[in-house]
Amino acid sequence: MNDLHHKFLESIDKLFQAKKFKSLKELLSTMEPADIAEIMGEKPPVERVFLFRLLAKDLAIEVFEFMDSTEIEEMLAHFSDSEVSEIMEEMSDDDRTALFDELPAKTVKKLLLRLSPDERKVANMLLNYSPSSAGRIMTPEYIDLKEEMTTEEAVGRIRRNARSKETIYTCFVVDTQRYLKGVVDLETLIMAEPHTLVGAVMDDPVYATTTTDQEEVAQVMSKYDLQAIPIVDTEKRLVGIITFDDVLDIIEEEATEDFERMAGIQPVEESYLDASVFTLARKRFMWLFICILTEAVTSVVLKRYSFALQSVVALTFFIPLLIGTGGNAGTQASTLVIRGLTLGDIEWEDIGKVIFREILTGILLGGALAIFGLGRAYMLHTGYGVALTVAFAIIAVVLLGNMAGTLLPFIAQMLHIDPAIMSGPFITTIVDVFGLIVYFEIARNILSLS
Amino acid sequence: MNDLHHKFLESIDKLFQAKKFKSLKELLSTMEPADIAEIMGEKPPVERVFLFRLLAKDLAIEVFEFMDSTEIEEMLAHFSDSEVSEIMEEMSDDDRTALFDELPAKTVKKLLLRLSPDERKVANMLLNYSPSSAGRIMTPEYIDLKEEMTTEEAVGRIRRNARSKETIYTCFVVDTQRYLKGVVDLETLIMAEPHTLVGAVMDDPVYATTTTDQEEVAQVMSKYDLQAIPIVDTEKRLVGIITFDDVLDIIEEEATEDFERMAGIQPVEESYLDASVFTLARKRFMWLFICILTEAVTSVVLKRYSFALQSVVALTFFIPLLIGTGGNAGTQASTLVIRGLTLGDIEWEDIGKVIFREILTGILLGGALAIFGLGRAYMLHTGYGVALTVAFAIIAVVLLGNMAGTLLPFIAQMLHIDPAIMSGPFITTIVDVFGLIVYFEIARNILSLS
């Protein structure tokens, strides 16, 4: 794929420099919109606008829909007013909302004024739904049919209206009040006898409402393998649809959010290189600060047990090893539990089972690692007592890590917070504090310190 | 959605206990295959088989394709030989391969023998491609057209062959040697004049080969918003297709793998509750062991600097806080870089830019946290020297964490290993070792220890 990309890029540059615009135009017309968008993204805005103007109108709109909002924003200044109006008018409704979501409010306001009254109404309607709700990402450009049409009439209607619709492969059956009655695939329609009624071949619809969260919409579409899902208002009137290509974007976006949350980063909207250093620092600061605040408790713990550290200096040598191991086990457990909760493999009722499994796993892993710890302490000539302390402490911190990693995501789930908020860094910190207390208590008992 | 699930479950149980099998059959026939599969999964195998037999044949196969392999395995023993043969024969090729991939080899061997010679050939062909390659997940059930057909003839061919095909919405144009010439959407075909030739309306195909990794296939399909992608052999002969519903599964699977790798867990194939405790412990052991081995170096470091710890005990108090903070910063940085590399937002050429950004972010974050460290040391009455040491060390470990989190994923990428392998636990451990050395060296200089 990348070879192809570089070859296209080279040809475009050559034709551009040689001013062979006719050949350039022909070359662009053979390319995929996604590829043109990618290549244009690497050009300065002025050249981008120039290339854009070489595209046939339909292709131009498609390319536009594949571009990043930052790239689009840079281009807008170079377009004429009528060009801007035309592009905004022709974009599909869902892509336009997505673009508006990322542009500055002032720009959006200006762009809205360039739309025809009809399109402006649609655009405003979509922008009124809350971010990341189904309403915000849907498009009203669907094919609607009536139950009393024949399949032949339905296919005719599809043919006449296909151009302006997001998909024609799933059609939606509504009554005169626009209540959603059913869905029917184009496949069913063209396979049916021409005089069959649509009402006889349509299926009961799986649908979502405008307020449903986009992540839930993606889950439902993935569960039922839907190519498109109807979105209804509170009265079950059809208002829009969401198609599978949006689902891919949602899933990727939600996964990125979860990755970030689990690493103690507040979700970053831009891609890494587009975000400013200040934005990145800001999104990372909160959890680092919460963790260092919590971690500060370890100083108190260590100060309190300094009598033990002073009488047996060797105890200090194992502090990073111990709390590190506990933290790592905690990160592993929390990742398994969070991912299980997100995918629905683990449910609230399973909490007992999960705790039981994590205790068993903790004993197995802690036991195996404890043998290593015992050997390690022996090698450092710490004496029998410290070695035994380290071995027991390893088992204890692995169990502790597993418990923190299990319970914290479940608690978040109970409080209706995204379990992914229980990030590895936070769990590691919690384990540090309690791990040290456990370590010194074990030491105190085994080494009879006081 | 869950309310509906419980209502269905209740109705099914009631009808089942009252032995009203005819009504039960009717109820099932109105339900979505995915819902039936979910409900059957909660029943004991014998009841599951009974419910399954109430389904109409087409629906039964669909339900089967939505079920978990463990549930299917339990059912197989209760089916008659002819039932097994029929189900295996009727399943779509890609779902059958996916099932075979998860069943024990012995069972697969038996099931293969139950297939007709033609289907067995297809099944064996697919099983011969390496796991997680495009060949392994594709299906040969596609609609093929010829360039010299008219669009009217093409639509006729689609109508006649639709039943046994995975999708009819994207069709594939091949020549007599089965070389892939183009793709054409059903939409294009039904919108074109009836006598237009397929060759005139088809597009250049975006395709993948049988050996392409499934993750790359998913990325390409997502990039171009493809509903189906053609898969060709090394000579560009069309051998199968992959459809969007498979892509959703791949993306979810790959994200889960990345989550697990980044937490230092080797990918677990089963879902959390299906995997045995021993499997989970085994998948987690390797990285815990590598980390504890690496972490053991910290004992050496601490032993070596014990002169410093003995002359200034207060230095010990900040060990967990320091290495914890460095590890947290490292986890954040590595997550941002790994995710960026996976999504293609960051490329190899960007390494200089990323390092620069992480140094800046590190200075910002480290500086802010250092102020906190300074205050904290002051509160613990450690004296001016230790407080200053802690403050400088915080900046240093945050920078260290950022660098480890940036460089290790890039190095993995350079070695053609999944960057996600550079897990948070591993990075945390590396930062622990180097963080301590840096801490004591700073202490030695500021406090003039020797």
Side-chain angles (χ1 to χ4, degrees):
Chain A
M1 285 292 133
N2 268 324
D3 286 351
L4 196 72
H5 179 78
H6 286 119
K7 234 183 270 172
F8 271 135
L9 198 59
E10 235 171 70
S11 309
I12 288 174
D13 284 346
K14 262 190 210 152
L15 292 171
F16 189 80
Q17 263 130 39
K19 305 208 165 139
K20 291 189 175 157
F21 301 131
K22 209 175 150 222
S23 313
L24 184 52
K25 198 170 165 169
E26 268 161 27
L27 173 66
L28 289 170
S29 75
T30 66
M31 288 172 60
E32 292 289 326
D35 290 325
I36 303 177
E38 199 179 332
I39 285 176
M40 294 210 339
E42 296 168 22
K43 302 283 171 204
V46 181
E47 189 176 338
R48 207 182 296 156
V49 170
F50 188 91
L51 288 173
F52 191 78
R53 286 187 176 132
L54 289 177
L55 302 173
K57 197 179 118 190
D58 280 2
L59 183 58
I61 300 293
E62 274 190 83
V63 169
F64 206 77
E65 291 172 349
F66 274 108
M67 286 171 61
D68 283 353
S69 59
T70 38
E71 291 158 18
I72 291 181
E73 206 184 337
E74 290 168 349
M75 286 172 75
L76 284 175
H78 300 274
F79 280 132
S80 74
D81 285 357
S82 66
E83 275 174 322
V84 173
S85 301
E86 195 180 11
I87 295 168
M88 289 300 132
E89 191 78 15
E90 295 288 331
M91 276 185 90
S92 59
D93 296 321
D94 50 351
D95 290 321
R96 191 172 50 212
T97 317
L99 173 63
F100 284 180
D101 271 340
E102 297 190 16
L103 291 178
K106 243 168 90 181
T107 316
V108 173
K109 222 168 163 184
K110 263 193 238 159
L111 293 177
L112 278 171
L113 287 175
R114 306 224 139 268
L115 291 173
S116 66
D118 280 358
E119 284 292 313
R120 198 184 313 150
K121 216 176 118 189
V122 171
N124 275 319
M125 187 261 289
L126 295 174
L127 285 171
N128 270 331
Y129 292 107
S130 59
S132 72
S133 70
R136 185 73 157 236
I137 55 168
M138 71 185 182
T139 172
E141 295 157 314
Y142 52 82
I143 301 254
D144 55 346
L145 303 173
K146 295 269 180 292
E147 283 179 90
E148 52 283 4
M149 281 178 179
T150 65
T151 55
E152 195 175 23
E153 286 165 350
V155 174
R157 181 175 166 78
I158 293 170
R159 260 187 231 260
R160 283 191 305 277
N161 293 287
R163 285 272 170 264
S164 59
K165 304 303 177 188
E166 187 83 7
T167 182
I168 65 164
Y169 300 136
T170 310
C171 303
F172 304 88
V173 185
V174 293
D175 65 13
T176 45
Q177 264 85 52
R178 307 207 60 76
Y179 288 107
L180 179 65
K181 306 304 277 184
V183 295
V184 60
D185 282 343
L186 178 59
E187 177 167 353
T188 309
L189 293 174
I190 67 169
M191 301 292 291
E193 291 299 317
H195 297 294
T196 319
L197 293 183
V198 168
V201 292
M202 70 184 193
D203 281 321
D204 277 345
V206 173
Y207 59 88
T209 65
T210 49
T211 53
T212 309
D213 186 77
Q214 61 172 5
E215 191 170 7
E216 204 184 319
V217 175
Q219 278 165 358
V220 171
M221 291 183 72
S222 167
K223 175 177 172 191
Y224 294 102
D225 284 349
L226 299 180
Q227 217 248 144
I229 191 170
I231 308 296
V232 299
D233 63 16
T234 44
E235 290 168 24
K236 220 191 149 185
R237 259 190 289 250
L238 182 62
V239 285
I241 65 167
I242 293 173
T243 51
F244 78 94
D245 51 310
D246 303 316
V247 173
L248 292 177
D249 297 341
I250 297 167
I251 291 179
E252 196 178 278
E253 201 182 294
E254 297 284 343
T256 301
E257 260 187 45
D258 279 357
F259 275 110
E260 290 172 348
R261 286 222 178 93
M262 285 167 75
I265 306 166
Q266 294 172 276
V268 184
E269 314 227 322
E270 303 92 335
S271 67
Y272 178 82
L273 291 173
D274 285 339
S276 77
V277 169
F278 284 100
T279 306
L280 287 176
R282 198 162 38 81
K283 298 288 184 180
R284 290 170 61 173
F285 183 71
M286 191 186 82
W287 277 107
L288 281 182
F289 191 66
I290 292 178
C291 285
I292 209 172
L293 268 181
T294 317
E295 201 73 76
V297 179
T298 58
S299 327
V300 183
V301 173
L302 287 169
K303 198 171 178 188
R304 175 132 173 232
Y305 286 102
S306 51
F307 68 91
L309 291 172
Q310 271 161 331
S311 57
V312 190
V313 180
L315 284 177
T316 314
F317 305 162
F318 300 96
I319 289 177
L321 182 146
L322 268 178
I323 59 181
T325 303
N328 291 343
T331 303
Q332 290 184 330
S334 70
T335 298
L336 288 171
V337 172
I338 291 171
R339 193 65 188 154
L341 287 169
T342 308
L343 295 181
D345 291 341
I346 298 176
E347 281 171 25
W348 175 252
E349 304 89 85
D350 300 320
I351 184 164
K353 245 186 282 179
V354 177
I355 292 177
F356 179 69
R357 294 168 69 92
E358 288 304 315
I359 290 177
L360 276 188
T361 315
I363 292 171
L364 282 174
L365 288 171
L369 298 172
I371 296 172
F372 171 82
L374 209 58
R376 181 73 197 143
Y378 178 77
M379 275 163 59
L380 288 176
H381 310 292
T382 58
Y384 185 68
V386 172
L388 213 60
T389 302
V390 170
F392 277 116
I394 286 178
I395 301 179
V397 293
V398 170
L399 277 170
L400 195 65
N402 276 6
M403 283 308 98
T406 306
L407 293 178
L408 292 175
F410 269 109
I411 291 171
Q413 173 98 334
M414 197 177 65
L415 302 174
H416 299 285
I417 309 170
D418 183 350
I421 208 94
M422 290 305 166
S423 63
F426 185 59
I427 285 166
T428 304
T429 305
I430 296 277
V431 172
D432 282 0
V433 174
F434 290 98
L436 282 175
I437 298 178
V438 169
Y439 179 40
F440 287 113
E441 283 305 314
I442 291 176
R444 209 154 72 152
N445 281 296
I446 292 185
L447 303 172
S448 319
L449 307 169
S450 63
Chain B
M1 284 290 135
N2 269 323
D3 286 352
L4 196 72
H5 179 78
H6 286 119
K7 233 184 267 173
F8 270 134
L9 197 60
E10 234 171 70
S11 308
I12 289 174
D13 285 345
K14 260 191 209 151
L15 292 171
F16 188 81
Q17 263 132 39
K19 305 209 164 140
K20 291 187 177 159
F21 301 130
K22 208 173 152 225
S23 314
L24 185 51
K25 197 169 167 170
E26 270 161 26
L27 172 66
L28 288 170
S29 75
T30 65
M31 289 171 60
E32 290 290 327
D35 290 327
I36 303 178
E38 199 178 332
I39 286 176
M40 292 205 348
E42 296 168 21
K43 300 283 170 201
V46 181
E47 189 174 339
R48 207 181 295 156
V49 170
F50 187 91
L51 288 174
F52 191 78
R53 286 188 176 130
L54 289 179
L55 303 172
K57 197 177 116 189
D58 280 1
L59 183 59
I61 300 294
E62 274 191 84
V63 168
F64 206 77
E65 291 172 348
F66 274 108
M67 287 172 59
D68 282 354
S69 58
T70 38
E71 289 159 20
I72 291 181
E73 207 185 332
E74 289 168 349
M75 285 172 75
L76 284 174
H78 300 275
F79 279 132
S80 74
D81 286 355
S82 67
E83 275 174 320
V84 173
S85 301
E86 196 180 9
I87 295 167
M88 290 300 133
E89 192 78 14
E90 296 288 332
M91 276 184 91
S92 59
D93 295 321
D94 52 349
D95 289 322
R96 190 173 51 210
T97 317
L99 173 62
F100 283 0
D101 271 341
E102 296 190 18
L103 291 178
K106 243 169 90 184
T107 315
V108 173
K109 223 168 160 185
K110 262 194 237 159
L111 293 177
L112 278 170
L113 287 176
R114 306 225 139 267
L115 291 174
S116 67
D118 280 357
E119 284 291 314
R120 198 184 313 152
K121 217 174 115 188
V122 171
N124 274 318
M125 187 261 289
L126 296 174
L127 285 171
N128 270 331
Y129 292 108
S130 59
S132 73
S133 70
R136 185 73 158 235
I137 55 168
M138 70 185 181
T139 172
E141 295 157 317
Y142 52 83
I143 302 254
D144 54 349
L145 304 173
K146 296 269 181 292
E147 283 180 270
E148 54 281 4
M149 282 178 178
T150 64
T151 54
E152 194 175 24
E153 286 166 350
V155 173
R157 183 176 163 78
I158 293 170
R159 260 186 231 261
R160 285 190 306 277
N161 293 287
R163 284 274 171 261
S164 58
K165 303 303 177 189
E166 187 83 6
T167 182
I168 64 165
Y169 300 135
T170 311
C171 303
F172 305 88
V173 185
V174 293
D175 64 13
T176 47
Q177 266 86 50
R178 307 207 62 74
Y179 287 107
L180 179 64
K181 307 303 277 184
V183 295
V184 60
D185 281 344
L186 179 60
E187 176 166 357
T188 310
L189 293 173
I190 66 170
M191 300 293 289
E193 291 299 316
H195 297 293
T196 319
L197 294 184
V198 168
V201 291
M202 71 185 192
D203 280 321
D204 277 345
V206 173
Y207 59 88
T209 66
T210 50
T211 52
T212 310
D213 186 78
Q214 62 174 5
E215 190 170 7
E216 205 185 318
V217 174
Q219 277 166 359
V220 172
M221 292 184 70
S222 167
K223 175 179 171 191
Y224 295 101
D225 285 350
L226 299 179
Q227 217 248 144
I229 190 170
I231 307 297
V232 298
D233 62 16
T234 45
E235 293 168 24
K236 220 192 149 184
R237 259 191 289 252
L238 182 61
V239 285
I241 63 166
I242 293 174
T243 50
F244 79 94
D245 50 311
D246 303 316
V247 173
L248 293 176
D249 296 339
I250 296 169
I251 290 178
E252 195 178 280
E253 202 180 294
E254 297 285 342
T256 301
E257 261 188 45
D258 280 357
F259 275 111
E260 290 172 346
R261 286 220 179 94
M262 286 168 75
I265 306 166
Q266 294 173 277
V268 184
E269 312 223 328
E270 303 91 335
S271 66
Y272 179 82
L273 291 172
D274 284 339
S276 77
V277 169
F278 284 99
T279 305
L280 288 176
R282 197 160 40 79
K283 300 285 184 183
R284 291 172 58 174
F285 183 71
M286 192 185 80
W287 278 107
L288 281 183
F289 190 66
I290 292 178
C291 286
I292 208 172
L293 267 181
T294 317
E295 201 73 77
V297 179
T298 57
S299 328
V300 182
V301 174
L302 287 169
K303 200 174 177 186
R304 178 131 171 232
Y305 287 101
S306 50
F307 69 92
L309 291 172
Q310 269 160 332
S311 56
V312 189
V313 181
L315 284 177
T316 314
F317 304 163
F318 299 96
I319 291 177
L321 180 145
L322 268 180
I323 60 180
T325 303
N328 291 343
T331 303
Q332 290 183 330
S334 70
T335 299
L336 288 171
V337 173
I338 291 171
R339 193 66 188 154
L341 287 169
T342 307
L343 295 182
D345 290 342
I346 298 176
E347 279 170 27
W348 176 251
E349 305 89 84
D350 300 320
I351 183 165
K353 242 185 284 178
V354 177
I355 291 177
F356 179 69
R357 294 168 69 91
E358 287 304 316
I359 290 177
L360 277 187
T361 316
I363 292 171
L364 282 174
L365 289 171
L369 296 172
I371 297 171
F372 171 81
L374 210 60
R376 180 72 196 144
Y378 178 79
M379 276 165 59
L380 287 176
H381 309 293
T382 59
Y384 185 67
V386 172
L388 213 59
T389 303
V390 170
F392 278 116
I394 287 178
I395 300 179
V397 295
V398 170
L399 277 170
L400 196 66
N402 275 7
M403 283 307 100
T406 305
L407 293 177
L408 292 175
F410 269 109
I411 291 172
Q413 172 98 333
M414 197 178 64
L415 301 173
H416 299 285
I417 307 169
D418 183 350
I421 209 91
M422 289 305 166
S423 61
F426 184 59
I427 285 166
T428 305
T429 304
I430 297 277
V431 173
D432 282 0
V433 174
F434 290 99
L436 282 175
I437 297 177
V438 169
Y439 179 39
F440 286 114
E441 284 305 314
I442 292 176
R444 209 153 73 148
N445 282 296
I446 291 185
L447 303 172
S448 320
L449 306 170
S450 61

